[in-house]
Amino acid sequence: MNHSSPLDPQTSAALLQALHTLLGDAGLLQGGDLSAYELDWRKRYVGRALAVARPATTEQVAGVVRLCAAHGVSLVPQGGNTGLVGGSTPDASGRQILLSLSRMNQVRAIDEANLTMTVDAGCILQAVQEAAAQQGLLFPLSLAAEGSCTIGGNLASNAGGTQVLRYGNARDLCLGLEVVTASGEIWDGLSGLRKDNTGYDLRHLIIGSEGTLAIITAATLKLYPKPVAQMTALATCDSLDAALQLLMLARVQTGSGLTAFEVMNEFSLGLVRRHFPQLQQPLPAAAWTVLLELSDAESEAHARGLFEGLLEAALEAGLITDAAVAESLPQSRGLWHLRESIPLAQGLEGLNIKHDIALPVSAIPAFVASTDAALALAFPGIRMVDFGHLGDGNLHYNVQAPEDMAAADFLARHEPAINRIVYDAVTALGGSISAEHGIGQLKRADLAERKSPVALGLMRAIKQALDPQALLNPGRVIS
Ligand code: FAD
Ligand code: ZN
């Protein structure tokens, strides 16, 4: 299919007419301000859609795909449009249909005994968490975009977030999928089975495929008993190595109770102080601040005891310089709010370069020390926003332009060289250039350069087999 030439007016009118007949007024947006769908969250990619299709049922999704296939028009699936790699916005050709799942937002069923819930793909993550909580259960996936991202988007990008340490990423929380294939067929794979070895695992193939292999229309998700108590603390460390030792100690002393272990460098929290001065920072500035969360099946007193024991031992061992345990739920939320405000503060500070890297946890302190130094040498004045999920070996290793330089100029001139320094260091240590945000369009060239040719060949073969017309999110992940 030729994706770059303009669509001839007859084809486009016929497709739009057929889509309107299928979806009605509420289901098809044409013309007007479509920027909420066409501009990505980081404002790095602006596209133009032929129209926005907003089906309300799985059958309608299948109908949209069949119509697009018949007219040779490709589709870009979109959930909450909070993705960070330019995967969910249309290209600039004006000939793609943006397929928004946002009207498919019903909780279909909760099975308390099986600890599962089945939801439409367009359900907002926070609504899913709340529906589980209403039954006294926990759906643990949690990330700063949870008020607007959708389960379909979370699964399509295999999102990570802040609870991976204990519960795994989106993939680990999904037991079944309902999808529409590129030929417009519906596969109902909504099993709530924890064991099922009947051939290739299609669910795991589609999870993380970023809308390039199938459209996710519903999912069966794993639930957990809700912890009796959840407690959060901050601690400061002189070095990332000390933070790593604190992580090891916390694992020994608190076992599976440790649900989050996040680190933030001083510049990250400094940006939060500058752009959100109303947010209280309870500890004095330090090279590194750690946010720890414990979840406890016994009681709040038990969790507090564990925390106090851990932090006292860490102080005595010289691993931390200071600590504060949240006294209440609002205080706990306040600590999380600090951590989650870093990407927003960074956005307010100006355009920036994001790296979402994974490494063996043990390699992270040395990686940061040597890569910070290499970048500072090559680009004097560069500002490092280093934060993320140390417990998972996943850092958001982000770069802000020197304060006295126009960010857009700096990025235009130096982004490729900066990426090379960072990704060469990651590759040398056996890491990944995308831990949780995916590839989209942003990292497609980097993936092509750095993934093994054998793996890339297998990926292309899968894409060709499942979507031979290149209808689903073409130009994303692999070419
Ligand atoms: P979208 O952005 O709409 O789409 C993402 C990708 O999935 C696109 O390629 C799209 O085509 C595809 N897609 C969407 N829906 C479907 C569907 N139903 N079927 C098939 N394909 C589909 N991510 C993390 O992993 N961890 C974090 O901690 C984290 N924090 C974030 C914090 C902020 C403030 C923001 C803005 C984003 C953050 N993200 C994080 C990025 C994260 O990937 C997204 O927030 C979320 O998972 C994407 O969901 P969405 O519904 O917005 O998907
Ligand atoms: Zn993250």
Side-chain angles (χ1 to χ4, degrees):
M1 189 188 305
N2 181 351
H3 294 290
S4 52
S5 60
L7 201 57
D8 75 80
Q10 256 179 330
T11 307
S12 107
L15 173 61
L16 291 173
Q17 177 61 47
L19 286 172
H20 187 261
T21 305
L22 176 72
L23 302 171
D25 284 341
L28 192 69
L29 309 179
Q30 301 173 65
D33 179 10
L34 299 180
S35 57
Y37 300 93
E38 293 176 330
L39 177 65
D40 82 306
W41 191 85
R42 291 177 67 197
K43 301 186 170 48
R44 287 188 70 140
Y45 298 99
V46 198
R48 199 163 63 79
L50 178 61
V52 176
R54 301 170 68 234
T57 64
T58 302
E59 286 70 26
Q60 284 188 350
V61 174
V64 171
V65 173
R66 283 197 298 268
L67 284 172
C68 286
H71 290 81
V73 168
S74 63
L75 290 138
V76 180
Q78 187 180 92
N81 197 17
T82 68
L84 301 175
V85 290
S88 55
T89 46
D91 65 22
S93 67
R95 54 169 295 165
Q96 293 191 298
I97 293 292
L98 192 292
L99 177 66
S100 166
L101 281 295
S102 58
R103 284 173 78 211
M104 294 184 59
N105 58 7
Q106 300 300 307
V107 173
R108 295 192 189 177
I110 296 187
D111 183 340
E112 283 184 56
N114 198 42
L115 283 174
T116 51
M117 75 194 291
T118 298
V119 303
D120 284 348
C123 280
I124 300 288
L125 173 55
Q126 195 174 336
V128 173
Q129 296 164 344
E130 286 168 2
Q134 273 172 15
Q135 308 292 319
L137 296 168
L138 173 75
F139 179 61
L141 187 67
S142 178
L143 43 118
E146 64 199 22
S148 37
C149 65
T150 63
I151 279 296
N154 299 147
L155 289 167
S157 59
N158 187 25
T162 57
Q163 303 283 297
V164 175
L165 188 61
R166 164 75 176 81
Y167 299 102
N169 44 28
R171 178 187 303 288
D172 299 307
L173 297 170
C174 176
L175 292 174
L177 287 181
E178 177 191 83
V179 308
V180 170
T181 68
S183 58
E185 291 176 304
I186 298 168
W187 171 51
D188 178 353
L190 287 175
S191 87
L193 303 178
R194 283 178 165 75
K195 293 186 145 186
D196 178 17
N197 283 350
T198 50
Y200 304 144
D201 199 320
L202 301 174
R203 165 188 41 145
H204 280 316
L205 194 55
I206 290 161
I207 294 173
S209 67
E210 302 184 45
T212 63
L213 297 182
I215 315 284
I216 299 171
T217 51
T220 299
L221 305 170
K222 267 191 208 170
L223 300 176
Y224 289 83
K226 208 160 140 39
V228 174
Q230 254 183 340
M231 202 162 281
T232 311
L234 279 190
T236 46
C237 301
D238 285 337
S239 69
L240 201 47
D241 203 40
L244 177 58
Q245 289 182 52
L246 175 65
L247 170 66
M248 287 159 69
L249 188 66
R251 283 197 157 124
V252 172
Q253 292 207 359
T254 67
S256 63
L258 186 67
T259 38
F261 194 97
E262 301 279 312
V263 292
M264 305 164 265
N265 74 349
E266 166 44 23
F267 186 66
S268 308
L269 282 175
L271 283 183
V272 175
R273 270 196 296 282
R274 177 183 296 184
H275 295 286
F276 301 103
Q278 71 280 17
L279 296 183
Q280 272 211 339
Q281 300 203 8
L283 297 180
W288 293 90
T289 300
V290 181
L291 188 156
L292 305 95
E293 184 190 77
L294 281 186
S295 298
D296 201 285
E298 259 179 60
S299 65
E300 200 168 310
H302 185 253
R304 193 169 293 281
L306 277 178
F307 245 156
E308 285 169 0
L310 168 68
L311 295 171
E312 269 167 34
L315 263 175
E316 250 172 53
L319 301 181
I320 61 176
T321 49
D322 210 342
V325 181
E327 294 292 335
S328 62
L329 199 59
Q331 273 190 16
S332 231
R333 291 216 177 100
L335 299 186
W336 271 115
H337 204 47
L338 284 177
R339 157 66 182 85
E340 294 184 338
S341 298
I342 296 171
L344 304 171
Q346 227 197 314
L348 292 171
E349 184 72 9
L351 282 179
N352 50 73
I353 305 171
K354 288 193 198 293
H355 304 108
D356 163 37
I357 59 167
L359 286 163
V361 182
S362 47
I364 285 189
F367 163 83
V368 170
S370 62
T371 316
D372 274 10
L375 288 170
L377 191 65
F379 305 100
I382 203 169
R383 298 173 298 162
M384 299 307 302
V385 187
D386 299 350
F387 67 99
H389 321 286
L390 184 69
D392 314 325
N394 172 199
L395 270 195
H396 299 308
Y397 188 74
N398 299 347
V399 175
Q400 210 83 35
E403 200 155 17
D404 55 359
M405 283 185 75
D409 286 353
F410 182 80
L411 260 66
R413 285 173 54 194
H414 300 307
E415 186 166 1
I418 289 171
N419 289 348
R420 180 152 303 283
I421 290 175
V422 174
Y423 292 153
D424 281 354
V426 167
T427 307
L429 290 165
S432 164
I433 62 164
S434 178
E436 57 175 10
H437 296 161
I439 299 298
Q441 4 180 2
L442 182 69
K443 296 185 187 163
R444 201 185 68 178
D446 296 307
L447 186 80
E449 185 185 332
R450 293 177 186 275
K451 197 91 183 170
S452 108
V454 177
L456 285 170
L458 291 171
M459 286 186 192
R460 284 199 195 95
I462 290 168
K463 172 72 176 171
Q464 175 66 27
L466 268 60
D467 181 19
Q469 261 185 289
L471 276 176
L472 301 180
N473 224 354
R476 313 297 154 96
V477 186
I478 50 170
S479 47

